[in-house]
Amino acid sequence: MAPKEGDREVAHGSLSGESIEELAKEINELLQERHPKKIPGVSDELYQLPPFIPKVQAFSSSRASFRSNEKTLKATWSRLGDVLRICEFPNSQRISGERFITLRLDGSGFSKLTKRLSSAGVFSQGYSHDFAELMRYCCQSLMAKFSATCAYTQSDEMTLVIPAASVVRGEQQCHSHGGRVVKLCTLAAAHVTALFNYRLHALFADKGISMDEQQLAMFDCRLGSFATAEQAASLLLWRAADCGINGVSDAVYKSKLPGAKNVMRLGTSEKLQWLAQNQLLPLHAHQAYGSYFVRVKRVHEGMNPKTGEISKSLRSAIEEVPGVNVLRLAAEGKLFPSDDEEPT
């Protein structure tokens, strides 16, 4: 349960005094300034590496000087993660309408669950396209339910960014359900849990396999509160960075090739070289980069029911930005595609 207001002081900074405003800006600057690392034997066609951010290089927000030794010793992404986790402990039971919200969902005990489902023949051994499609479907459905601007999913997790509520005639509106933290978290977790199991049951039926309660999935959810869209999006970027590393490790582990266990102890660059040497690149796009969805406005053509005439209008739609590293999109300023123009 979320802490009551006054129970703890939140939460815009870590114990080292760094703020989410400062770190979100720093990450975006680094992504724009840096270039992907060059790995021998791993071309861009085989794997799209993100801009390389060295573990120990961390500048101050002025970009003019290094931080103290204590801060530079910790990886930039880890420092951001520390502050983001604090932002996921809001100091109020309600989030005010002018703030941006993130919902981060994780599968509970999915490592064991997916092994059971693979053993039962529901999911394939190695990378499972069926599992990936279940997660992608649930992510888009949750995005539609909460009117999120963007969402990212990979493996058994998903992250959504919900914009600030509208201002109507000069009055700030509330988030859905009054912005109640517990309500939003329980609804999100329940929605994905129910939908995932519904679709999973259909998958069992398609394959002629009986499903029991030991094969039911569960998701938890945590909520973050942010002052700006950039700060909220930094959580999505942090998860994309982490999931990219995990996706490469997952490919090595599930290859079951001789020597894979030893390769698991190596860094991401060495793992990618090993995958390339064993003709295992490129990976499936979802396994390599996850799936990223955005809300855009597109021209829709339909019939006016009163006049019978065909008319065009702008309507909200959820689109996938397919097969691309999300961190590259951020570096190129393309995290949010342009809307269509209003039809004349």
Side-chain angles (χ1 to χ4, degrees), residues 100-121:
F100 292 76
I101 290 175
T102 58
L103 297 175
R104 182 157 67 99
L105 288 81
D106 280 297
S108 178
F110 261 54
S111 179
K112 292 181 180 179
L113 175 64
T114 52
K115 286 180 180 178
R116 288 198 296 269
L117 294 174
S118 294
S119 298

Side-chain angles (χ1 to χ4, degrees), residues 36-271:
K37 185 178 182 180
K38 300 292 185 181
I39 302 177
V42 181
S43 66
D44 202 54
E45 289 72 25
L46 293 179
Y47 189 87
Q48 296 178 16
L49 286 157
F52 178 61
I53 299 179
K55 284 189 176 182
V56 298
Q57 185 163 341
F59 295 98
S60 66
S61 57
S62 67
R63 317 295 292 144
S65 60
F66 282 106
R67 296 184 183 276
S68 66
N69 289 336
E70 178 185 357
K71 295 176 183 176
T72 58
L73 286 175
K74 194 162 190 179
T76 307
W77 286 113
S78 296
R79 289 166 39 232
L80 176 63
D82 289 345
V83 176
L84 287 168
R85 290 187 186 96
I86 297 174
C87 294
E88 291 180 322
F89 283 91
N91 64 344
S92 174
Q93 293 184 6
R94 293 176 183 266
I95 306 301
S96 57
E98 74 274 6
R99 295 187 68 81
F100 292 76
I101 290 175
T102 58
L103 297 175
R104 182 157 67 99
L105 288 81
D106 280 297
S108 178
F110 261 54
S111 179
K112 292 181 180 179
L113 175 64
T114 52
K115 286 180 180 178
R116 288 198 296 269
L117 294 174
S118 294
S119 298
V122 181
F123 290 165
S124 60
Q125 299 292 332
Y127 173 78
S128 170
H129 175 77
D130 288 327
F131 175 43
E133 286 305 305
L134 283 175
M135 292 298 299
R136 285 162 46 83
Y137 185 87
C138 289
C139 184
Q140 293 175 82
S141 177
L142 191 66
M143 188 177 175
K145 179 177 177 62
F146 285 97
S147 300
T149 53
C150 60
Y152 174 82
T153 181
Q154 202 262 2
S155 186
D156 66 341
E157 67 173 85
M158 63 184 71
T159 300
L160 282 74
V161 176
I162 301 172
S166 301
V167 176
V168 180
R169 292 186 290 275
E171 183 175 343
Q172 176 66 59
Q173 302 299 297
C174 297
H175 283 292
S176 64
H177 304 285
R180 287 177 288 165
V181 174
V182 174
K183 186 74 170 181
L184 294 172
C185 285
T186 53
L187 279 175
H191 180 86
V192 172
T193 295
L195 184 57
F196 186 96
N197 285 321
Y198 175 76
R199 304 280 293 195
L200 181 62
H201 183 268
L203 193 58
F204 268 87
D206 287 344
K207 299 189 177 185
I209 306 171
S210 297
M211 184 177 181
D212 61 50
E213 63 183 35
Q214 298 300 317
Q215 294 161 325
L216 290 171
M218 290 186 295
F219 287 83
D220 61 40
C221 176
R222 65 205 76 186
L223 180 150
S225 173
F226 301 87
T228 68
E230 180 183 59
Q231 293 172 23
S234 70
L235 187 139
L236 187 147
L237 297 178
W238 169 56
R239 296 317 310 143
D242 198 43
C243 287
I245 295 171
N246 294 340
V248 173
S249 294
D250 182 67
V252 173
Y253 176 76
K254 290 181 177 176
S255 71
K256 302 301 181 183
L257 292 178
K261 186 176 292 187
N262 292 330
V263 176
M264 287 295 293
R265 303 189 183 99
L266 303 178
T268 302
S269 297
E270 289 78 15
K271 289 173 183 173

